[in-house]
Amino acid sequence: MQQKKRFNTTFWLLIVPVLLWLVVLIVLPHLDLLISSFQVKNSAGENVFSLNNYLAFFNNDIYWGTFLKTAGYAVFVTLLAFVISFPVAFYLTKVISKKYAGLLVLLLLIPLWVGELVTVYGWMILLGDHGVINHFLLFLGMIDKPINMLYTDLSMVIGLLYMSMLFMVVPIMTTLESLDDAYIEAASDLGAGKWTIFTKIIIPYSMPGIISGAIIVFMLVIGDFLAPDILGGKHSLWFTEQIYSKFLQTFNWGEGAAFGFLLLFLSSAIVWLALKLSGQKLEKVGS
Amino acid sequence: MDTILEIKKLSKHFADFTSVDGIDFSVEEGGFFSILGPSGCGKTTLLRMISGFEEESEGEILIRGKSMKGVPPEQRPVNIVFQSLALFPMMNVKENVAFGLKRKKLQKNVIDHKVAQMLGRVGLSGFERKKVTELSGGQRQRVAIARSLVMEPSILLLDEPLGALDRKLREHMKIELKLLQKELGTTFIYITHDQSEALVMSDKIAVMNKGRFEQVDTPRELYKNPKTAFVASFVGESNRFEIIHKEGDVLTTKGQWKLTKSGLDFTPVVLYIRPEAFILSPTEERKDISVFEVTIKTVLFDGANTKLSTFAQGSDDEILISLPQNAHFEDLCEGDTIQVGVHQDDLKCYEEE
Ligand SMILES: Nc1ncnc2c1ncn2[C@@H]1O[C@H](COP(=O)(O)OP(=O)(O)OP(=O)(O)O)[C@@H](O)[C@H]1O
Ligand SMILES: [Mg+2]
């Protein structure tokens, strides 16, 4: 009994700051937004309850079309991030010695240190018509006029990939680190070739890491603004850009707020669906 | 009996260390062959070379007369039960056992049948859908063995598979493994540093030390006639005495205790006597039995393993003597002096340590 009571005091001491932080900084501002998302101004200029802000999304195919496109790209970037990150994570944990792995992970962290804006401008310098890559290719004589890479879907995907990849690498590395080499040897002893070991042992074992990495990357990408806005072209309209223009260009805060919540719920729904389809449980992924 | 495995002059050198040092031996079909040795003597390295995970530096491995040089692990007719078991945690019991069969591309109903049969053999019927993480130590053990055995290997290699179990379960599994091996007739090569495991289960035991085999023999021979001082000290319990002097048939130990052994054609430096080799209160006087008096220091009671810790009269050599738990010797206690005899064949003398 005594034990239990003490535990409760500690528990509350620890939970109160967390709750305060959640309520004051996250719930309250969003509550305000949530309310305004259900309000429109009537002819007298008063705020009245309405679902119009939400209906606007479904009634206008530009809006939900943009959302679908954004979600599609986010899924694509997530898949791409997985394809690139897995070999990187495997190399860092299983191939090279621990000593160098630490250093290389540190290098991977650099884009995070300098911030997304700086890396995005970095990519502009690299990809521009008069940028480093074109300059180099021209110099080598491999092309005779600059390739248009900047302000396209390609440059946008590169930017998104670059800022989110690390969040895929790290969780995969964590699961791979706990993968005992004896599993690989046991599989090979039982007659499995390299490909079978990869698909039947290594991938299933690191599934929790892959899924948690995928969720983070997907959420980061679908909610990103800078990379699509700066690196993407006129045609690569991102859903966050639409929210931005609602707030700051047309000053329609109600619709902006409604779109924000739609983004939150729809992307959560996609994650939930993906978890269901892959047969993974959120508790397991989180650990 | 046919020879199933032949090892010729096998060595493994690591950068700065020789782990296996020129080993020669062969194993007969259907035998239970144990490799017994202290930690770090190279047992796992030897096994890993046989299974193909480690490449030999020198020498040759032949299985059924076929050289294994360059044959990858997945193509060798051997299977291994790892020291850590290495059951796949993301698969259930059935999937673990079926893993190897699926790689052989057998039909589903054949696989199901074989898996069910093997699980029945190891007493795990009905556990098919259990996660391996939900099993007890002994059950995990049996899944690991079933997973390898279901492949019907020519040779099953086991690397200290009972190491992680508690003593009671180990005793039980020891017997079960031996019965399973007899029933299936598969050749087992079993690694252990526990001499009692090796003695109970094996047809033949190789005692390994510092990368070499000291002696390869049946358990009985190994116990009765250890060829080297290392074997005498490692297999079973022994009293060890350093010899400082030999005059005719009389040996003098460092503690100034005298023993007689005839027919020695060298001067030994150490001598080993097993605790149970001593005869308490010998009734008849025979010339090949040395008789002397000892004083009991303590009685180390351990059921059937009870021993007397004693001093030989007129010396400071401590001698451990087995005490049979029968009514005859019941009232022996501290400070008593008794007559003890030892047959000269039970004095194991060695020229070097
Ligand atoms: N990859 C390696 N590089 C260098 N030395 C090694 C390597 N693998 C093993 N050794 C050395 O070889 C020796 C034998 O190792 P091994 O694993 O075969 O011992 P073991 O007899 O199985 O011991 P245990 O009973 O503790 O499992 C050890 O001293 C070990 O340090
Ligand atoms: Mg070992």
Side-chain angles (χ1 to χ4, degrees):
Chain A
M1 276 316 280
Q2 190 89 42
Q3 194 80 31
K4 185 143 194 174
K5 203 169 163 205
R6 242 204 344 258
F7 163 78
N8 276 345
T9 339
T10 328
F11 177 75
W12 283 112
L13 269 177
L14 288 173
I15 201 78
V16 163
V18 177
L19 283 179
L20 272 180
W21 184 75
L22 272 175
V23 170
V24 175
L25 292 174
I26 298 179
V27 177
L28 286 183
H30 283 81
L31 212 61
D32 188 43
L33 276 180
L34 189 65
I35 293 167
S36 58
S37 77
F38 285 107
Q39 285 177 335
V40 291
K41 281 197 167 40
N42 63 8
S43 47
E46 295 159 332
N47 285 329
V48 291
F49 175 83
S50 151
L51 284 177
N52 282 352
N53 292 329
Y54 287 90
L55 290 175
F57 172 81
F58 295 101
N59 290 337
N60 194 330
D61 20 329
I62 288 188
Y63 295 150
W64 59 260
T66 310
F67 179 81
L68 282 186
K69 195 187 136 190
T70 306
Y73 266 104
V75 169
F76 175 68
V77 171
T78 306
L79 286 178
L80 216 58
F82 163 68
V83 170
I84 298 170
S85 302
F86 200 88
V88 173
F90 191 81
Y91 180 79
L92 287 176
T93 45
K94 293 287 162 197
V95 183
I96 57 165
S97 80
K98 276 238 147 40
K99 203 167 57 185
Y100 301 114
L103 189 74
L104 289 176
V105 172
L106 225 58
L107 288 180
L108 274 177
L109 281 170
I110 287 180
L112 277 190
W113 282 342
V114 299
E116 197 190 349
L117 195 61
V118 175
T119 55
V120 162
Y121 279 113
W123 280 110
M124 288 178 78
I125 294 168
L126 280 174
L127 298 174
D129 281 359
H130 302 287
V132 175
I133 293 176
N134 271 320
H135 196 79
F136 192 66
L137 290 178
L138 280 171
F139 175 77
L140 285 183
M142 288 167 75
I143 52 175
D144 43 38
K145 62 181 200 312
I147 313 170
N148 179 26
M149 288 179 290
L150 196 56
Y151 309 126
T152 62
D153 286 357
L154 175 76
S155 58
M156 182 185 73
V157 166
I158 290 177
L160 288 169
L161 205 55
Y162 192 68
M163 66 107 190
S164 61
M165 213 185 85
L166 187 71
F167 296 94
M168 184 71 97
V169 174
V170 172
I172 295 179
M173 274 183 72
T174 315
T175 45
L176 282 180
E177 254 158 22
S178 69
L179 176 89
D180 189 348
D181 289 347
Y183 295 137
I184 296 172
E185 288 187 343
S188 136
D189 183 60
L190 293 167
K194 286 206 166 59
W195 178 247
T196 318
I197 291 175
F198 182 71
T199 55
K200 295 281 195 276
I201 305 291
I202 298 177
I203 291 278
Y205 186 89
S206 30
M207 212 52 184
I210 295 171
I211 297 286
S212 58
I215 293 175
I216 302 171
V217 169
F218 177 77
M219 287 302 206
L220 273 180
V221 167
I222 206 171
D224 191 43
F225 178 74
L226 275 176
D229 193 51
I230 300 177
L231 293 174
K234 287 275 163 292
H235 304 288
S236 34
L237 194 56
W238 212 244
F239 193 63
T240 48
E241 292 177 278
Q242 252 160 8
I243 300 177
Y244 174 85
S245 69
K246 288 282 171 219
F247 276 113
L248 296 175
Q249 281 163 10
T250 59
F251 297 101
N252 190 342
W253 279 53
E255 265 184 28
F259 283 20
F261 281 104
L262 281 168
L263 176 63
L264 178 65
F265 290 119
L266 290 174
S267 52
S268 304
I270 293 173
V271 168
W272 177 81
L273 198 71
L275 280 176
K276 274 274 161 292
L277 289 179
S278 68
Q280 293 284 320
K281 295 210 169 57
L282 197 59
E283 310 89 84
K284 248 176 94 184
V285 169
S287 62
Chain B
M1 280 273 190
D2 293 336
T3 301
I4 190 159
L5 174 72
E6 209 180 344
I7 303 271
K8 290 181 184 164
K9 296 250 169 308
L10 194 66
S11 293
K12 177 73 195 180
H13 311 295
F14 290 114
D16 51 353
F17 191 80
T18 297
S19 173
V20 172
D21 191 6
I23 280 181
D24 276 292
F25 71 100
S26 56
V27 177
E28 279 176 359
E29 180 112 46
F32 196 121
F33 187 94
S34 290
I35 298 169
L36 173 65
S39 185
C41 71
K43 306 182 296 287
T44 299
T45 312
L46 175 58
L47 212 64
R48 288 173 63 82
M49 283 193 280
I50 299 174
S51 54
F53 291 116
E54 208 84 66
E55 203 190 335
E56 59 271 23
S57 307
E58 285 143 33
E60 210 176 9
I61 300 165
L62 302 162
I63 297 176
R64 293 220 164 90
K66 213 176 129 232
S67 171
M68 286 294 123
K69 191 143 231 135
V71 181
E74 62 265 30
Q75 283 165 26
R76 297 195 181 194
V78 300
N79 283 106
I80 183 166
V81 177
F82 287 83
Q83 206 160 357
S84 62
L85 301 188
L87 294 178
F88 305 132
M90 56 282 179
M91 301 179 194
N92 63 25
V93 171
K94 186 182 169 186
E95 287 163 340
N96 261 284
V97 178
F99 185 87
L101 297 176
K102 282 190 190 148
R103 306 286 82 76
K104 285 185 174 175
K105 305 231 178 328
L106 298 181
Q107 279 188 328
K108 195 180 170 307
N109 54 350
V110 178
I111 293 178
D112 285 350
H113 177 72
K114 286 192 178 213
V115 170
Q117 202 178 26
M118 188 48 74
L119 284 178
R121 274 242 163 84
V122 297
L124 285 176
S125 295
F127 283 72
E128 281 86 349
R129 309 242 156 266
K130 276 236 179 191
K131 281 197 183 150
V132 291
T133 45
E134 291 167 355
L135 300 177
S136 73
Q139 290 166 341
R140 291 160 55 81
Q141 196 63 59
R142 280 180 276 178
V143 175
I145 290 165
R147 185 176 72 175
S148 294
L149 273 180
V150 83
M151 300 295 288
E152 293 161 15
S154 300
I155 306 170
L156 183 69
L157 309 170
L158 303 106
D159 190 354
E160 300 195 38
L162 307 185
L165 305 184
D166 63 61
R167 219 174 74 89
K168 196 94 193 241
L169 195 55
R170 209 156 59 208
E171 296 297 319
H172 175 73
M173 286 300 295
K174 226 150 73 171
I175 297 158
E176 229 169 75
L177 257 182
K178 176 73 193 167
L179 290 178
L180 195 67
Q181 189 265 338
K182 270 235 168 90
E183 192 185 315
L184 296 170
T186 310
T187 310
F188 276 34
I189 296 183
Y190 187 93
I191 280 191
T192 179
H193 60 243
D194 178 339
Q195 44 108 7
S196 108
E197 266 177 32
L199 291 176
V200 170
M201 293 192 281
S202 324
D203 300 320
K204 263 212 176 146
I205 302 175
V207 179
M208 192 171 182
N209 185 28
K210 295 189 183 135
R212 293 168 188 268
F213 280 180
E214 299 254 339
Q215 184 173 358
V216 183
D217 240 322
T218 61
R220 180 180 296 268
E221 267 306 298
L222 212 58
Y223 193 81
K224 297 211 83 165
N225 294 312
K227 283 215 180 80
T228 66
F230 176 81
V231 177
S233 65
F234 196 75
V235 180
E237 223 179 328
S238 265
N239 289 291
R240 175 178 181 278
F241 305 102
E242 280 172 44
I243 305 294
I244 52 166
H245 191 64
K246 174 175 186 278
E247 199 173 308
D249 288 349
V250 179
L251 304 171
T252 310
T253 69
K254 208 174 166 191
Q256 302 296 330
W257 181 37
K258 290 189 191 336
L259 289 157
T260 329
K261 181 165 173 86
S262 58
L264 271 186
D265 51 1
F266 60 89
T267 310
V269 297
V270 280
L271 175 141
Y272 286 87
I273 310 171
R274 299 223 183 265
E276 69 272 23
F278 294 98
I279 311 155
L280 291 178
S281 320
T283 43
E284 48 177 333
E285 215 33 67
R286 273 167 54 183
K287 75 166 182 12
D288 46 6
I289 294 180
S290 329
V291 178
F292 44 91
E293 277 194 335
V294 296
T295 309
I296 299 174
K297 202 172 77 175
T298 41
V299 180
L300 307 166
F301 184 79
D302 181 16
N305 276 322
T306 299
K307 292 192 182 67
L308 298 172
S309 166
T310 66
F311 280 116
Q313 293 265 292
S315 92
D316 22 301
D317 279 326
E318 194 190 348
I319 311 169
L320 280 180
I321 299 174
S322 291
L323 180 66
Q325 288 303 293
N326 54 36
H328 189 69
F329 297 114
E330 208 164 52
D331 41 351
L332 280 180
C333 60
E334 254 177 77
D336 286 356
T337 299
I338 47 163
Q339 290 264 318
V340 182
V342 59
H343 193 283
Q344 63 167 354
D345 287 354
D346 286 327
L347 308 179
K348 305 295 175 195
C349 300
Y350 302 98
E351 239 176 326
E352 52 188 5
E353 292 276 348

